[in-house]
Amino acid sequence: MLVDLRSDTVTKPTRAMREAMFRADVGDDVYGEDPSVNELEAKAARLLGHEAGLFAPSGSMTNQVAIQLLVSPGEELLLDSESHILAHEVGAAAVIGGISTRSWPSADGKLDVDLVERFVHESLAYHTVATRAIAVENTHNRGGGTVIGIEELRRLRAMADERGLLLHLDGARLWNAHVASGVPLAEYGRLFDTVSLCLSKGLGAPVGSVLVSSRERVERARSIRKRMGGGMRQAGFLAAAGIHALDHHISRLADDHIRARRLAEALEPYGITSAAAVATNIVLLRRTGLDRLAEVASAQGVRISVLGRDHGRLLTHLDVDDDGVEHTIKVLKSLLC
Ligand SMILES: *Cc1c(COP(=O)(O)O)cnc(C)c1O
């Protein structure tokens, strides 16, 4: 048995998803003629309460397109120090967008609007850098799948409106936040000017992300995506997987959350994790020698993610069932004793 808990990106398309891909109606999407891509974009926009959507190969691309829409070169994007945009997108905001970034310190992915507001810079004179937009992440990846509550996000919107700022949501795992909190996707969506959503994480599609925003912004986003090399042709085969994922794989994320909690509760007595900190499908691990543990576990069919020598994580997803969870607990317990 092999249980791969390194990430929720490792899922392989289910048989039903492959069949949907096989049957997909396709056309040249650079000409706007791929019916499956158009359907996926409209569907995602509708779910999030936005006017239009744009399909792209990755969440990094939808994030980067979004921040280029909101922030001009030389202006500033404010975001948290552990955000994906800062930590995992290879400096693209600076390299591609010419965007200046500054960050507030973030420990566990929670949002404190009062703290964020203290970081906002206004344009005081020609030589200052003005904050133009703020980006937040929900659920928060490096924070351990943290869900940011809708009340705090409403406060963020009110603060942004008062200060004349735009808001981007990196919602790579917004589906998980929605399922864990019961807050409708559109409630989240309406608070942001742009939202980026991943289909290739817990939703189980092989490739793809969608950016949603206003019709006008999405039109501009098409040019930015093309400039970045993200114009795809018969992408409907991939979009069909995304449509299938939206139709069939959102509510089942609740199972991933239950399994993550089961893992954390079983492992907590070994001092390696905290069950109370598990909000969605991510279990953070803290322990010295994790790299060694990961090596031995891997030999016994359990793959875990090591992010640093004493910092790792487990992610549950579509391809991890109850047997996989029990096998993982058995293997890790035997190694932790
Ligand atoms: C995975 C992820 C992304 C996008 O990653 P890609 O690998 O580029 O699709 C963006 N933001 C967060 C928070 C993520 O977890």
Side-chain angles (χ1 to χ4, degrees):
M1 177 182 250
L2 174 69
V3 193
D4 194 344
L5 297 149
R6 288 172 303 162
S7 174
D8 48 7
T9 57
V10 301
T11 56
K12 298 190 179 137
T14 61
R15 187 181 177 87
M17 183 178 277
R18 286 169 199 249
E19 279 164 6
M21 295 170 76
F22 180 79
R23 284 194 309 268
D25 228 348
V26 298
D28 190 327
D29 181 53
V30 173
Y31 294 138
E33 291 173 3
D34 190 301
S36 301
V37 171
N38 294 341
E39 183 185 337
L40 171 66
E41 291 176 344
K43 195 178 180 71
R46 205 162 51 241
L47 274 176
L48 273 291
H50 278 261
E51 286 175 0
L54 183 77
F55 185 49
S58 72
S60 297
M61 189 178 283
T62 45
N63 273 337
Q64 292 301 323
V65 169
I67 65 176
Q68 288 176 61
L69 280 173
L70 303 184
V71 186
S72 298
E75 292 180 334
E76 180 179 271
L77 174 72
L78 203 57
L79 67 183
D80 84 78
S81 59
E82 294 298 317
S83 60
H84 194 278
I85 292 175
L86 269 191
H88 293 293
E89 297 182 12
V90 214
V95 175
I96 304 173
I99 293 169
S100 194
T101 49
R102 215 150 40 83
S103 56
W104 67 84
S106 155
D108 49 13
K110 297 212 170 79
L111 179 69
D112 174 352
V113 175
D114 295 329
L115 171 70
V116 173
E117 188 170 16
R118 290 205 286 279
F119 279 79
V120 173
H121 275 169
E122 279 175 14
S123 177
L124 299 172
Y126 73 91
H127 58 271
T128 62
V129 178
T131 307
R132 187 78 187 103
I134 297 172
V136 297
E137 200 171 298
N138 199 21
T139 66
H140 198 287
N141 181 344
R142 288 171 69 87
T146 321
V147 178
I148 301 176
I150 191 74
E151 282 310 321
E152 200 60 11
L153 294 173
R154 288 195 183 111
R155 292 189 60 221
L156 179 72
R157 181 76 260 178
M159 187 273 277
D161 286 345
E162 199 181 313
R163 308 288 298 250
L165 303 172
L166 297 166
L167 292 181
H168 172 63
L169 173 60
D170 178 352
R173 294 189 183 80
L174 188 65
W175 324 106
N176 296 84
H178 156 65
V179 166
S181 67
V183 173
L185 289 163
E187 292 274 314
Y188 288 116
R190 275 193 270 273
L191 296 174
F192 292 87
D193 299 290
T194 50
V195 183
S196 160
L197 303 147
C198 283
L199 304 163
S200 57
K201 302 269 167 86
L203 291 196
V207 175
S209 287
V210 185
L211 168 70
V212 300
S213 188
S214 65
R215 211 171 300 285
E216 178 271 325
R217 280 206 181 95
V218 168
E219 270 322 298
R220 285 196 288 132
R222 276 182 209 286
S223 304
I224 299 173
R225 181 187 64 177
K226 192 75 176 82
R227 182 180 296 138
M228 292 168 75
M232 298 184 284
R233 301 295 176 173
Q234 284 71 35
F237 293 114
L238 300 174
I243 293 167
H244 181 86
L246 292 179
D247 286 342
H248 302 284
H249 293 171
I250 296 180
S251 59
R252 66 148 305 285
L253 292 172
D255 299 339
D256 296 345
H257 298 177
I258 291 168
R259 292 185 180 121
R261 184 159 278 271
R262 162 83 184 122
L263 279 169
E265 279 167 359
L267 299 174
E268 190 173 56
Y270 301 84
I272 189 174
T273 191
S274 150
V278 175
T280 52
N281 68 325
I282 303 180
V283 179
L284 287 185
L285 305 176
R286 294 267 176 206
R287 181 194 163 89
T288 53
L290 258 187
D291 42 355
R292 179 79 194 118
L293 181 79
E295 233 177 82
V296 184
S298 177
Q300 299 185 35
V302 174
R303 305 194 71 179
I304 71 177
S305 159
V306 180
L307 304 168
R309 238 208 316 236
D310 57 355
H311 178 200
R313 58 184 200 171
L314 311 173
L315 274 85
T316 53
H317 53 74
L318 196 56
D319 292 351
V320 175
D321 59 12
D322 289 332
D323 289 346
V325 166
E326 296 314 316
H327 180 66
T328 300
I329 291 170
K330 196 175 79 198
V331 168
L332 292 183
K333 271 185 172 174
S334 75
L335 298 175
L336 288 167
C337 289

